[in-house]
Amino acid sequence: MMLATRQAWQSIGQISYGPTEQEIGSVAFRRSLYAVVDIKAGEQLTSSNVKSIRPGLGLAPKHWDKVLTQYAKADITCGTALSWDLLTGSN
């Protein structure tokens, strides 16, 4: 029984956040949020001007709802990967 308990604890493993060493090379193949049309400074981001596409160089799609409440700090050209420093919470 003691051996089974040790094996059960070992099978749980350890928590690791972020990509593993094996996943680092494939991070670019993940999706991220991009501007799909030119967005003017002060314009609100919407589902029609932001899309989740590859490569994964921008914000992760898990931030979709938060991004759609944001406004552009400056002009954002079509094809730009979104980052928090391009966005502001109010107009």
Side-chain angles (χ1 to χ4, degrees):
M1 182 145 153
M2 192 172 186
L3 179 60
T5 304
R6 281 192 194 133
Q7 288 175 338
W9 278 106
Q10 289 173 350
S11 69
I12 293 174
Q14 295 180 348
I15 297 172
S16 69
Y17 298 99
T20 63
E21 287 183 33
Q22 295 84 7
E23 294 175 324
I24 289 175
S26 66
V27 169
F29 300 110
R30 294 181 180 177
R31 292 180 173 273
S32 63
L33 301 177
Y34 280 82
V36 293
V37 295
D38 291 338
I39 303 170
K40 300 288 183 196
E43 187 178 341
Q44 184 170 8
L45 279 70
T46 65
S47 59
S48 62
N49 60 17
V50 175
K51 299 289 180 206
S52 172
I53 56 177
R54 290 184 175 93
L57 303 175
L59 293 173
K62 70 180 181 180
H63 299 295
W64 176 260
D65 292 332
K66 179 69 175 168
V67 165
L68 294 185
T69 65
Q70 304 290 307
Y71 295 85
K73 282 186 183 177
D75 290 348
I76 303 172
T77 58
C78 179
T80 301
L82 297 181
S83 63
W84 291 120
D85 57 338
L86 295 173
L87 311 175
T88 182
S90 62
N91 190 359

